[in-house]
Amino acid sequence: MIMIFTAEHTPAEVIKVFPKASDLFKKHRIDFCCGGDKQLSETFSEGKIDETIVLTELNTAYDNWQQEDHHVTNWDAYSPSELIDHIIHTHHAYLNEELPALGQFVTKIFRVHGTNHPHLKELHKLYNDFKVEMEEHMINEEGQVFPLIKEYEKNPNKDLLQHIHVANGGLEDEHETAGNVLKRMREITNDFEPPLDACNSYRITYARLSEMESDTFQHVHLENNVLFKNL
């Protein structure tokens, strides 16, 4: 069924129907993971974003996308355990491999180009803050919160659910912190657009940062707007 997106929809609702909207949201710096449950109207107002332009672009892209053959995963149909396993084996596995490898590139371009491109110093600090935050975050999820959710799925009770909601509140705060770091990295790198004189390492670093941002936004979206919301 084709729908028309309005300012009353939330980014999370849009993404569930039209996953490719994430590209448009990133372009306009609209938060669809940590702030995914706020109505677009609120986001437009706070960010001084032109509602007409974004909604026209969004609905046009959705109409075009609908003409193609797509399979949209209904994450709401997944059990909590299935979704947790997907998050661990897809998004956590990706970050565990990518964070140390990409960190070497971030350090390299800062060391080589930092004098001429001063923003690379801040990028280096932001990246390492993000790396530590996400590594600790994933350890906490896999060691404590995810097992609690799986236990609740088997033996639901109010006390355990309350415990999970308290723990999830901390995780969502950490998601917001990580999201803000990613936003700042995007700002100081001109939307991950390398300068004209950038070497191959510089270009690879920015491309991989952009990819990591996309993966992290999807990762946080699944946790905040699907897993935690469906408990």
Side-chain angles (χ1 to χ4, degrees), residues 2-5 14-15 17-25 27-28 52-70 72:
I2 297 178
M3 63 187 297
I4 296 176
F5 299 118
V14 175
I15 292 290
V17 176
F18 179 31
K20 196 170 175 57
S22 60
D23 294 338
L24 185 147
F25 287 154
K27 171 185 170 183
H28 291 284
T52 301
I53 289 176
V54 174
L55 290 178
T56 299
E57 190 174 346
L58 175 61
N59 283 297
T60 299
Y62 180 56
D63 288 342
N64 293 335
W65 184 80
Q66 280 286 106
Q67 306 308 312
E68 305 168 3
D69 184 21
H70 295 286
V72 178

Side-chain angles (χ1 to χ4, degrees), residues 103-139:
Q104 294 180 25
F105 277 87
V106 173
T107 298
K108 179 180 179 180
I109 65 170
F110 170 45
R111 184 176 64 247
V112 175
H113 301 286
T115 300
N116 294 328
H117 299 163
H119 74 280
L120 292 177
K121 180 177 182 179
E122 183 180 358
L123 178 64
H124 183 263
K125 183 181 185 307
L126 289 168
Y127 182 84
N128 283 284
D129 288 346
F130 177 83
K131 179 177 180 293
V132 170
E133 177 77 22
M134 291 306 294
E135 286 173 342
E136 293 179 352
H137 180 80
M138 291 187 292
I139 289 171

Side-chain angles (χ1 to χ4, degrees), residues 24-78:
L24 185 147
F25 287 154
K26 283 192 295 181
K27 171 185 170 183
H28 291 284
R29 299 185 181 179
I30 295 172
D31 185 356
F32 64 87
C33 53
C34 303
D37 57 354
K38 293 195 305 185
Q39 287 189 341
L40 284 169
S41 58
E42 185 177 347
T43 301
F44 293 150
S45 177
E46 290 177 352
K48 296 183 172 58
I49 300 170
D50 191 306
E51 175 179 322
T52 301
I53 289 176
V54 174
L55 290 178
T56 299
E57 190 174 346
L58 175 61
N59 283 297
T60 299
Y62 180 56
D63 288 342
N64 293 335
W65 184 80
Q66 280 286 106
Q67 306 308 312
E68 305 168 3
D69 184 21
H70 295 286
H71 170 71
V72 178
T73 301
N74 180 11
W75 295 112
D76 286 320
Y78 278 53

Side-chain angles (χ1 to χ4, degrees), residues 77-93:
Y78 278 53
S79 70
S81 292
E82 290 172 330
L83 191 54
I84 285 170
D85 289 344
H86 169 77
I87 289 168
I88 290 174
H89 297 306
T90 302
H91 300 292
H92 284 199

